[in-house]
């Protein structure tokens, strides 16, 4: 009997591995029988039953996220028969300039006569700047006077425009003279101006989206006579220009916010 067991161990050298595999959970290991000619016996080998998936670590994901995508730099002269990218670029830049102009004219801690100059007033002849139909002066550090004697019929419209200018102004009228008290510089006033700055920025982004959409629509008209690869490159260039402009708008908002909050 002892001799038989000894011979059994010699004939089956993988028997212990087989028993060890059987003791593992079924979900972890499955057994596969491999026939081999060596020593004329069957060998049992353990294989993982569940497929192995390799996931990116948080560190690897963070590293990939920080990498910037390849930028496109198309020679505008080579595609000018398809779309005028220089013109698109100028339209996007003009959106930024309008935002900067609005910031400088309407969002200041200290209200000055010049900040009222370009308030748009709706008149019978269309929208006109307030300084075109009135005389604006500073009576004291706390009071601005708007004299509507030259266009008395526009007084009501001017008052409405000043109130809706977003500058937190509450004008008072005496005949054709509009008195505009300057609000005190409080924390609430500063935060209100920051809120208005964000509104101006969002409107600028809306204008930018229209510029981008119009450019893409022009590009679609050339799809029949231009290769798909060229169209994709131009689309990427336009999107890249729009993204750069958004970043510029956000940068100006950050600077203005810091200025207003002090």
């Amino acid at each position: 009997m002892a001799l038989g067991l000894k011979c059994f161990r010699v004939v089956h050298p993988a028997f212990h591995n087989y028993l060890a595999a059987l003791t593992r959970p079924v979900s972890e290991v499955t057994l596969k029988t491999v026939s081999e000619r060596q020593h004329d016996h069957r060998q049992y080998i353990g294989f993982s039953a569940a497929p192995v998936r390799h996931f990116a670590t948080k560190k690897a994901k963070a590293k990939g996220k920080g990498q910037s995508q390849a930028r496109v730099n198309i020679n505008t002269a080579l595609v000018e028969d398809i779309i005028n990218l220089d013109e698109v670029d100028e339209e996007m830049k003009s959106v930024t300039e309008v935002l900067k102009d609005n910031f400088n004219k309407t969002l200041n801690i200290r209200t000055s006569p010049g900040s009222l100059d370009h308030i748009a007033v709706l008149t019978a002849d269309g929208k006109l700047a307030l300084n075109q139909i009135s005389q604006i002066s500073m009576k004291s550090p706390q009071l601005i006077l708007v004299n509507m004697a030259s266009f008395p019929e526009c007084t009501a419209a001017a008052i409405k425009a000043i109130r809706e200018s977003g500058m937190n102004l509450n004008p008072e009228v005496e005949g054709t003279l509009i008195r505009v008290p300057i609000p005190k510089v409080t924390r609430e006033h500063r935060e209100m101006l920051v809120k208005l700055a964000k509104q101006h920025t969002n409107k600028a982004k809306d204008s930018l989206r229209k510029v981008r959409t119009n450019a893409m629509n022009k590009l679609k008209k050339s799809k029949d006579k231009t290769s798909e690869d060229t169209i994709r490159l131009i689309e990427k260039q336009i999107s890249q220009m729009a993204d750069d402009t958004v970043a510029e708008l956000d940068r100006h908002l950050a600077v203005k916010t810091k200025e207003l909050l002090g």
Side-chain angles (χ1 to χ4, degrees):
M1 180 70 174
L3 180 60
L5 290 173
K6 184 177 182 179
C7 293
F8 185 78
R9 292 192 185 97
V10 173
V11 175
H12 294 275
F15 186 73
H16 293 292
N17 292 337
Y18 171 65
L19 290 176
L22 287 178
T23 61
R24 299 180 189 175
V26 176
S27 61
E28 182 183 348
V29 172
T30 184
L31 296 175
K32 182 176 180 181
T33 304
V34 179
S35 297
E36 293 186 352
R37 295 303 254 171
Q38 185 180 4
H39 304 302
D40 293 322
H41 68 269
R42 294 176 182 271
Q43 184 178 3
Y44 295 89
I45 305 173
F47 291 89
S48 174
V52 178
R53 296 182 65 187
H54 299 281
F55 295 93
T57 63
K58 290 183 178 180
K59 186 176 181 180
K61 287 181 178 179
K63 183 178 180 181
K65 187 176 180 181
Q67 295 175 347
S68 58
Q69 297 181 352
R71 292 177 64 86
V72 177
N73 189 14
I74 298 175
N75 186 333
T76 57
L78 296 178
V79 297
E80 61 183 2
D81 57 330
I82 303 173
I83 189 170
N84 191 334
L85 288 177
D86 287 333
E87 184 178 291
V88 175
D89 185 51
E90 286 300 319
E91 290 179 359
M92 290 185 178
K93 286 180 179 178
S94 69
V95 171
T96 303
E97 292 303 316
V98 169
L99 179 68
K100 289 166 60 179
D101 193 49
N102 285 336
F103 279 178
N104 292 332
K105 291 177 179 177
T106 64
L107 299 178
N108 297 299
I109 295 299
R110 299 289 180 183
T111 305
S112 63
S115 62
L116 304 185
D117 286 351
H118 299 282
I119 291 178
V121 180
L122 184 60
T123 69
D125 298 322
K127 287 187 176 182
L128 297 174
L130 183 59
N131 64 349
Q132 291 181 290
I133 57 175
S134 67
Q135 292 181 343
I136 305 173
S137 60
M138 196 90 174
K139 184 174 183 180
S140 71
Q142 290 77 39
L143 183 65
I144 296 176
L145 298 180
V146 181
N147 192 332
M148 300 295 299
S150 298
F151 295 88
E153 68 278 8
C154 299
T155 302
I159 293 172
K160 184 174 184 293
I162 294 171
R163 282 196 179 126
E164 296 177 354
S165 65
M167 299 172 65
N168 194 32
L169 301 175
N170 294 302
E172 303 167 355
V173 63
E174 294 179 3
T176 58
L177 184 65
I178 302 174
R179 301 166 62 88
V180 185
I182 298 174
K184 293 181 180 180
V185 182
T186 62
R187 185 68 183 180
E188 290 74 16
H189 179 56
R190 289 174 181 271
E191 290 175 351
M192 184 273 299
L193 291 177
V194 169
K195 184 177 179 180
L196 289 175
K198 291 178 180 178
Q199 291 176 0
H200 282 303
T201 304
N202 288 334
K203 287 181 181 180
K205 289 180 180 180
D206 288 339
S207 298
L208 179 63
R209 277 190 286 271
K210 290 179 182 179
V211 173
R212 182 185 181 278
T213 299
N214 290 338
M216 291 297 190
N217 289 337
K218 289 180 181 178
L219 192 57
K220 287 179 182 179
K221 296 178 181 179
S222 301
K223 283 191 173 182
D224 294 337
K225 56 183 180 180
T226 308
S227 70
E228 291 183 5
D229 288 343
T230 301
I231 291 295
R232 279 195 294 269
L233 282 175
I234 298 175
E235 286 177 343
K236 189 172 182 180
Q237 176 79 46
I238 294 172
S239 296
Q240 185 175 283
M241 291 160 59
D243 291 343
D244 290 344
T245 306
V246 168
E248 184 73 3
L249 295 176
D250 287 337
R251 187 182 69 81
H252 285 296
L253 174 61
V255 171
K256 193 65 180 180
T257 299
K258 184 177 180 180
E259 173 193 322
L260 292 173
L261 293 180

